[in-house]
Amino acid sequence: MQLFYHHLYSQLELPERHRFPIKKYQELKHEIERLGYTQFISPSPATTAQLSLCHSSDYIADFLNGSLTDKAVKKMGFPHSPELVERTLYSVGANIQAAENAMQTGLAANLSGGYHHVYSNYGSGFCIFNDLAIAAAHLIATEQADTVLIFDCDVHQGDGTAQITQHHEHIISCSIHCEQNFPRQKQHSNYDFALPANTTDAEYLTTLEQALELCVRLHQPDIILYNAGADIYTKDELGLFDVSLAGVYARDFAVLNFCKQRNIPLMCALGGGYQRNINNLVSVHKQLFKAALDL
């Protein structure tokens, strides 16, 4: 597994008690180094042209120039700063480059990413640019892929991804999420699997396997971009599922193994995860990298 990481992922000053766990990225890197991962590729920042594949020119300019309205900044969820701009561009660039790398090597991951609540013209829910949609559109625009599947397993629906990919017929969006969770108003992905609160391991894993099989059989994607949200875990503070840590591992292993057995390139992004205890949160994200070692 080729890994992409930038030190800016965790270098962002946020207000005290801000809900976003900004320190998890550097701590996860340290933890997976203990698993034996020693090489990390430093990404290049995304370009304005790449952002424009999925976002309006006005929104891009307003974010880059710091001219968003107070209302737009509040909806985005982060205070605007030059550091936020730089971090965002590197994170999006890493998803693009990890997707390209996966096309060549079979498997790559970005130790960030999965920012799926942002729409084409505004940020939302701690998401500024839709990195998975941009990576998919980039692969198609550069003729590296004909069809891309975004397989979103964050506990929250990928509503921004659904909205953006409605305009990209060769990007297939599939979201497995909690019906009662954020966002209140859901969008229409190509495939939505809305599970009830308190869903347990068995029901979740059965749905996952059926959804993945269906999407691949119907669309034959050239690559899968996987949003491996840690917030399906039962102790996540913003999740409503009852999926165990072993269930998170089983999910990640199932996706990785499915793609390996069928020779489908796979690129993974971290997705959401919300626990005040960063060490406990990192242990959930770490399941993806443990599963990759066990393939």
Side-chain angles (χ1 to χ4, degrees):
M1 176 185 268
Q2 300 285 309
L3 300 178
F4 287 74
Y5 176 81
H6 198 281
H7 65 89
L8 288 176
Y9 289 175
S10 281
Q11 292 184 6
L12 184 64
E13 292 297 323
L14 295 175
E16 188 176 357
R17 297 195 62 78
H18 191 279
R19 201 64 194 82
F20 193 80
I22 194 69
K23 296 301 181 185
K24 74 177 182 179
Y25 303 100
Q26 65 182 21
E27 295 304 321
L28 177 63
K29 179 177 182 286
H30 295 155
E31 274 298 303
I32 65 177
E33 284 175 331
R34 296 187 182 99
L35 293 176
Y37 293 98
T38 58
Q39 293 188 329
F40 297 85
I41 301 170
S42 184
S44 303
T47 65
T48 301
Q50 289 168 333
L51 301 177
S52 298
L53 292 168
C54 293
H55 295 285
S56 72
S57 57
D58 287 346
Y59 172 60
I60 295 168
D62 285 344
F63 175 73
L64 296 181
N65 299 332
S67 52
L68 291 169
T69 65
D70 290 345
K71 181 179 179 181
V73 169
K74 183 178 180 180
K75 189 171 185 64
M76 182 174 69
F78 291 121
H80 192 279
S81 67
E83 292 77 19
L84 178 65
V85 172
E86 190 176 13
R87 178 194 183 275
T88 299
L89 294 179
Y90 275 110
S91 181
V92 176
N95 260 26
I96 295 168
Q97 291 146 50
E100 291 184 319
N101 186 286
M103 291 295 297
Q104 302 300 319
T105 66
L107 180 60
N110 178 20
L111 268 65
S112 179
Y115 298 120
H116 61 167
H117 293 310
V118 55
Y119 285 61
S120 57
N121 60 345
Y122 65 89
S124 175
F126 307 139
C127 301
I128 298 166
F129 293 121
N130 199 306
D131 46 10
L132 289 175
I134 292 168
H138 170 79
L139 292 178
I140 292 168
T142 55
E143 299 183 344
Q144 296 178 68
D146 293 323
T147 302
V148 179
L149 169 63
I150 298 178
F151 194 65
D152 193 334
C153 293
D154 193 279
V155 78
H156 307 104
Q157 191 209 31
D159 54 330
T161 302
Q163 182 263 334
I164 289 171
T165 57
Q166 288 173 2
H167 309 292
H168 294 265
E169 63 176 315
H170 297 292
I171 303 174
I172 309 303
S173 60
C174 176
S175 180
I176 304 175
H177 55 268
C178 179
E179 186 174 14
Q180 290 87 354
N181 214 320
F182 178 89
R184 184 180 59 82
Q185 184 173 348
K186 306 292 192 288
Q187 299 297 317
H188 295 291
S189 311
N190 292 107
Y191 302 94
D192 283 301
F193 295 85
L195 296 172
N198 304 312
T199 289
T200 57
D201 291 16
E203 182 181 2
Y204 186 90
L205 293 169
T206 297
T207 302
L208 175 101
E209 291 163 5
Q210 292 174 346
L212 192 51
E213 181 70 45
L214 175 70
C215 291
V216 168
R217 178 164 47 85
L218 292 181
H219 298 283
Q220 300 293 308
D222 298 301
I223 184 173
I224 295 175
L225 308 183
Y226 172 43
N227 191 5
D231 44 14
I232 69 165
Y233 179 48
T234 184
K235 294 182 180 179
D236 193 272
E237 293 155 18
L238 297 184
L240 298 174
F241 283 161
D242 193 17
V243 176
S244 69
L245 195 62
V248 176
Y249 172 89
R251 176 201 67 176
D252 292 338
F253 185 85
V255 174
L256 290 163
N257 191 53
F258 180 95
C259 292
K260 181 180 180 182
Q261 295 301 320
R262 291 160 180 79
N263 294 313
I264 302 172
L266 176 68
M267 179 265 162
C268 309
L270 282 194
Y274 302 91
Q275 296 184 63
R276 295 284 183 189
N277 186 312
I278 294 295
N279 290 332
N280 290 345
L281 173 57
V282 164
S283 72
V284 185
H285 281 298
K286 189 169 70 172
Q287 301 309 305
L288 173 67
F289 304 94
K290 291 175 66 176
L293 290 174
D294 292 341
L295 281 179

